[in-house]
């Protein structure tokens, strides 16, 4: 199997895994701490492969996220497209940072995604969520260094970059 096909399988596999992790059942006490897996994985691939994974990928992944989670069709597509665009525009700067500073930049991108989702909730007349709504961004901040290293190793194992 050649490198582009293996690369497509790695990117697609991680994105499918992220979608799966978003819908897997969790204990009630841990539900508020579920990381934004889809957004984290999208940010990683936009940072590493900005010419191959970008705004259209974010839009398609957002539609898939809406279908899998049963949410309003297009709600996640909007927020993931904006996050992909910002990541694509800032990828050179973010990649130059050490991992702990990258984690802060990723946290800001996760906040953007949450703010856009909050805006959509307000636009459709949903009640304002509690402060627990923001906890997944903090979990993503703490998870980013390990997730980034794990995905770097996975990418190196299956794809010569």
């Amino acid at each position: 199997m050649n490198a582009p096909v293996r690369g497509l399988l790695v990117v697609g596999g991680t994105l499918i895994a992220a979608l799966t992790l978003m819908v897997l059942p969790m204990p009630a006490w841990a539900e508020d701490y579920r990381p934004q897996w889809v957004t984290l994985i999208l940010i990683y691939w936009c940072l590493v492969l900005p010419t191959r994974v970008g705004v259209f990928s974010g839009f398609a992944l957002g539609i898939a996220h809406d279908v899998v989670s049963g949410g309003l069709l297009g709600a996640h597509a909007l927020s993931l497209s904006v996050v992909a665009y910002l990541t694509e525009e800032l990828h050179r700067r973010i990649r130059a940072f050490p991992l702990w500073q990258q984690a802060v930049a990723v946290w800001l991108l996760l906040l953007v995604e949450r703010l856009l989702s909050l805006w959509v909730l307000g636009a459709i007349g949903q009640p304002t969520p509690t402060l627990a709504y923001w906890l997944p961004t903090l979990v993503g901040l703490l998870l980013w260094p390990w997730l980034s290293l794990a995905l770097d190793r996975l990418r190196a194992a299956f794809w010569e970059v």
Side-chain angles (χ1 to χ4, degrees):
M1 193 179 321
N2 59 10
V5 173
R6 279 193 312 245
L8 180 64
L9 290 175
V10 170
V11 172
T14 55
L15 292 173
I16 289 171
L19 285 169
T20 304
L21 287 170
M22 288 304 295
V23 296
L24 280 178
M26 291 181 69
W29 64 268
E31 193 65 41
D32 288 338
Y33 300 100
R34 182 189 303 263
Q36 297 163 273
W37 290 112
V38 175
T39 311
L40 285 167
I41 300 295
L42 177 67
I43 290 170
Y44 175 80
W45 288 118
C46 285
L47 285 174
V48 174
L49 301 170
T51 59
R52 296 184 183 169
V53 179
V55 176
F56 181 73
S57 301
F59 182 80
L61 189 60
I63 293 291
H65 189 299
D66 292 332
V67 168
V68 168
S69 66
L72 176 67
L73 195 61
H76 286 102
L78 170 69
S79 60
L80 290 179
S81 296
V82 171
V83 167
Y85 172 76
L86 291 172
T87 306
E88 210 174 316
E89 285 295 315
L90 300 171
H91 80 275
R92 286 188 189 99
R93 293 178 190 154
I94 294 173
R95 293 282 294 180
F97 295 151
L99 272 178
W100 71 271
Q101 287 178 335
Q102 279 184 22
V104 173
V106 167
W107 177 63
L108 292 172
L109 290 167
L110 293 173
L111 284 173
V112 166
E113 191 271 337
R114 280 306 216 196
L115 282 169
L116 287 168
S117 295
L118 184 65
W119 178 68
V120 169
L121 287 174
I124 62 173
Q126 295 292 323
T128 304
T130 63
L131 286 177
Y133 178 78
W134 302 101
L135 286 175
T137 62
L138 294 174
V139 174
L141 167 74
L142 298 174
L143 189 62
W144 177 255
W146 289 279
L147 180 67
S148 178
L149 290 173
L151 289 174
D152 282 343
R153 286 190 180 187
L154 181 69
R155 184 171 51 97
F158 290 102
W159 194 358
E160 298 84 23
V161 175

